[in-house]
Amino acid sequence: MIILAIETSCDDTGIALIKVDSKKKAKIKVLSNIVSSQIEIHKKYGGVYPFLAKREHEKNLPLVFEKAMKQAKNPKIDVVAVTVGPGLEPCLWTGVNFAKKLVKKLKVSMIPINHIEAHIYANFLKPKFDFKKVFPAISLIVSGGHTQIILVKTFGDYKILGETRDDAAGECFDKVARMLGLGYPGGPVIEKKAKEFKSRTSKLEISLPRPMMHQKNYDFSFSGLKTAALYHFKSQKPKVQKSQKYIKSMAHELQQAIIDVLIYKTLKAAKEYNVKSIILGGGVSANKELRKQFKKNIKKELLNVSCYLPDVKYSTDNALMITLTAYYLLKNKDKRWKKTIVNANLRL
Ligand code: KG4
Ligand code: ZN
């Protein structure tokens, strides 16, 4: 079976193709996974502009499709999967309209996919995973648009335990990076500056709050953290604000504050629900320091809990995760997709 998937929920135009060989223990082969990033376009604005993103998706989709098909050696497609939410509405529609034309031409079915669910299954490229050993799990999805702690009872059975009440963690990285004049997206550049910070040689120790960390719920608030960073920044002389020492110190403390809150709440949920694993996903899960500290803390505090971290290239938005979710939906005879329609605020 060949699955083609389309992802246009935010600022990345993605098309991927996988081949599932059911004879060979359902071996999944990635035929192509093309992501055309719009970073250069949105950089100027320090964030994503929906209508600009839509225009770019429209321009990119035929080119990305051609490239993905060529790389996959033009196979016969059996099913087309497409992201229907959550995401930016004009962007979602661009992908869905492209998918609709394609399924009409190919006379195949269209499978609508939830973007958040796909971030979870970005971890399961190899079907050697026995979901009975993975679930129940706690999944932390952290991206530019979302920060959610999800209880995954089993495939297709989800409960959102908590989420951000304002900004997403990735948004916080992006906004503080913009304040420091580091450009967009903020996560990777904050990670780089944080790594260069040397605590013993720096007199500029910054201390930021860990919002909502000890509250008895699984919600987050990253807007307060961003504001605390902004106040600190404003209280400095322009010369200090622009200095590398200050930038590195701020990047380090911001990253650590975000990591502390994410780890504390995720592990707390894993303990409360007595799960078998913790699954990370979304752009922020590409952060190497976050990955390192997650692994270390799980090993220390939750002996028998496995930790799934997506391959760094599958952490940020891509269409491969959409193909995988479509595959698992079909494999599990999950009929949810028959009812799903485009919804910018789609929830699990
Ligand atoms: O999942 P994603 O590609 O798109 C959304 O669905 O939002 O996530 C993008 C977000 C951006 O906010 C970006 O700054 C953040 O992920 N990000 C990172 C890193 N790489 C991307 N945040 C922290 N560290 C990184 N290395
Ligand atoms: Zn995403």
Side-chain angles (χ1 to χ4, degrees):
M1 180 176 53
I2 305 273
I3 306 175
L4 177 141
I6 301 164
E7 157 62 43
T8 60
S9 66
C10 191
D11 62 339
D12 292 302
T13 316
I15 295 193
L17 282 114
I18 58 166
K19 180 180 178 181
V20 187
D21 199 335
S22 50
K23 284 181 203 122
K24 290 182 188 164
K25 286 188 188 161
K27 191 173 170 3
I28 298 173
K29 191 173 173 208
V30 181
L31 303 180
S32 57
N33 180 32
I34 311 291
V35 183
S36 169
S37 161
Q38 302 177 6
I39 284 174
E40 286 308 316
I41 292 152
H42 299 287
K43 231 177 190 168
K44 297 197 264 295
Y45 309 99
V48 181
Y49 269 69
F51 284 94
L52 201 58
K54 174 192 177 229
R55 202 183 69 193
E56 286 305 305
H57 285 311
E58 278 168 351
K59 208 163 77 188
N60 288 339
L61 272 171
L63 307 173
V64 174
F65 176 74
E66 203 178 306
K67 204 168 160 187
M69 285 296 281
K70 196 171 161 198
Q71 210 177 82
K73 301 199 169 66
N74 293 300
K76 188 184 155 295
I77 296 158
D78 295 300
V79 60
V80 174
V82 60
T83 306
V84 292
L88 304 169
E89 182 137 5
C91 300
L92 292 166
W93 274 112
T94 314
V96 171
N97 288 334
F98 192 87
K100 277 186 177 166
K101 275 192 214 141
L102 198 60
V103 296
K104 207 169 158 195
K105 197 169 128 200
L106 301 172
K107 297 190 178 66
V108 296
S109 307
M110 185 173 102
I111 305 197
I113 300 290
N114 180 314
H115 182 87
I116 299 288
E117 191 174 13
H119 271 306
I120 300 176
Y121 297 102
N123 282 278
F124 303 105
L125 178 57
K126 297 188 187 87
K128 70 171 187 200
F129 296 108
D130 180 359
F131 280 165
K132 283 196 195 88
K133 288 186 187 146
V134 175
F135 304 136
I138 287 292
S139 182
L140 170 72
I141 301 302
V142 256
S143 70
H146 299 90
T147 305
Q148 288 186 336
I149 291 189
I150 303 154
L151 171 66
V152 186
K153 292 176 204 162
T154 180
F155 179 86
D157 191 352
Y158 311 103
K159 186 179 176 204
I160 299 170
L161 301 179
E163 61 195 314
T164 184
R165 294 192 181 169
D166 38 61
D167 290 356
E171 208 175 342
C172 186
F173 273 115
D174 294 338
K175 286 178 175 167
V176 175
R178 189 179 179 184
M179 171 190 96
L180 295 170
L182 297 174
Y184 173 84
V189 60
I190 294 266
E191 176 176 356
K192 185 170 171 277
K193 292 287 171 197
K195 202 166 172 229
E196 289 165 9
F197 171 73
K198 296 200 177 49
S199 61
R200 257 172 283 161
T201 57
S202 175
K203 283 190 215 116
L204 272 164
E205 290 281 356
I206 300 170
S207 169
L208 294 174
R210 269 66 176 156
M212 297 183 74
M213 187 147 111
H214 294 291
Q215 282 191 15
K216 274 192 193 134
N217 54 49
Y218 294 111
D219 285 347
F220 301 99
S221 166
F222 291 107
S223 155
L225 179 59
K226 169 201 69 189
T227 310
L230 183 69
Y231 282 155
H232 194 281
F233 181 78
K234 281 190 172 162
S235 71
Q236 305 298 312
K237 294 198 178 84
K239 206 177 138 201
V240 177
Q241 288 174 344
K242 288 193 196 86
S243 72
Q244 280 302 312
K245 259 190 190 164
Y246 182 77
I247 290 172
K248 287 174 190 173
S249 178
M250 178 57 90
H252 183 269
E253 175 62 5
L254 180 86
Q255 178 175 277
Q256 196 54 53
I258 293 175
I259 292 176
D260 284 349
V261 182
L262 292 176
I263 291 185
Y264 186 83
K265 292 221 159 173
T266 308
L267 266 59
K268 191 174 140 199
K271 284 174 202 160
E272 184 182 338
Y273 290 89
N274 200 11
V275 296
K276 292 182 184 151
S277 56
I278 290 177
I279 306 169
L280 261 61
V284 179
S285 72
N287 188 289
K288 293 197 186 66
E289 192 55 36
L290 175 128
R291 295 166 79 95
K292 194 174 99 190
Q293 294 189 27
F294 248 105
K295 275 195 265 186
K296 198 176 131 200
N297 281 280
I298 291 172
K299 209 170 155 188
K300 197 169 86 190
E301 290 182 44
L302 294 156
L303 256 185
N304 298 315
V305 172
S306 322
C307 176
Y308 293 96
L309 297 164
D311 201 304
V312 169
K313 62 177 180 291
Y314 304 139
S315 296
T316 47
D317 290 351
N318 64 85
L320 182 76
M321 65 187 197
I322 311 299
T323 61
L324 295 175
T325 312
Y327 164 67
Y328 287 117
L329 277 165
L330 294 172
K331 189 179 170 216
N332 288 284
K333 298 192 173 53
D334 188 320
K335 295 282 186 311
R336 264 178 304 146
W337 60 273
K338 299 213 165 174
K339 303 188 282 232
T340 324
I341 46 158
V342 173
N343 179 356
N345 302 312
L346 187 66
R347 288 175 73 78
L348 272 176

Tab-separated table of all heavy atoms in Angstrom, residues 1 89 152 213 235 281 292:
chain	number	residue	atom	x	y	z
A	1	MET	N	0.835	-1.200	0.000
A	1	MET	CA	0.000	0.000	0.000
A	1	MET	C	0.875	1.257	0.000
A	1	MET	O	1.843	1.346	0.747
A	1	MET	CB	-0.881	0.007	1.260
A	1	MET	CG	-1.768	1.226	1.333
A	1	MET	SD	-2.922	1.248	2.737
A	1	MET	CE	-1.875	0.969	4.123
A	89	GLU	N	-6.419	28.352	9.464
A	89	GLU	CA	-7.506	27.944	8.567
A	89	GLU	C	-7.201	28.114	7.072
A	89	GLU	O	-7.381	27.163	6.299
A	89	GLU	CB	-8.796	28.667	8.964
A	89	GLU	CG	-9.946	28.236	8.110
A	89	GLU	CD	-11.223	27.993	8.891
A	89	GLU	OE1	-11.267	28.247	10.103
A	89	GLU	OE2	-12.192	27.545	8.249
A	152	VAL	N	-2.736	9.138	26.569
A	152	VAL	CA	-3.077	8.258	25.442
A	152	VAL	C	-3.414	6.903	26.058
A	152	VAL	O	-2.514	6.162	26.462
A	152	VAL	CB	-1.897	8.120	24.447
A	152	VAL	CG1	-2.323	7.336	23.211
A	152	VAL	CG2	-1.346	9.483	24.054
A	213	MET	N	4.176	26.025	37.775
A	213	MET	CA	4.844	24.732	37.958
A	213	MET	C	4.248	23.927	39.106
A	213	MET	O	4.037	22.727	38.983
A	213	MET	CB	6.343	24.935	38.167
A	213	MET	CG	7.099	23.639	38.198
A	213	MET	SD	8.742	23.790	37.527
A	213	MET	CE	9.709	23.581	38.971
A	235	SER	N	14.909	46.573	31.684
A	235	SER	CA	15.591	47.198	32.820
A	235	SER	C	17.097	47.323	32.582
A	235	SER	O	17.822	47.857	33.426
A	235	SER	CB	15.316	46.390	34.093
A	235	SER	OG	16.013	45.153	34.017
A	281	GLY	N	6.644	15.205	21.238
A	281	GLY	CA	6.432	15.557	19.837
A	281	GLY	C	6.288	17.054	19.667
A	281	GLY	O	6.090	17.786	20.641
A	292	LYS	N	17.805	15.753	26.409
A	292	LYS	CA	18.779	15.201	27.363
A	292	LYS	C	18.196	15.174	28.777
A	292	LYS	O	18.244	14.166	29.474
A	292	LYS	CB	20.050	16.074	27.311
A	292	LYS	CG	21.255	15.459	27.971
A	292	LYS	CD	22.489	16.302	27.742
A	292	LYS	CE	22.756	17.166	28.955
A	292	LYS	NZ	23.809	18.177	28.722
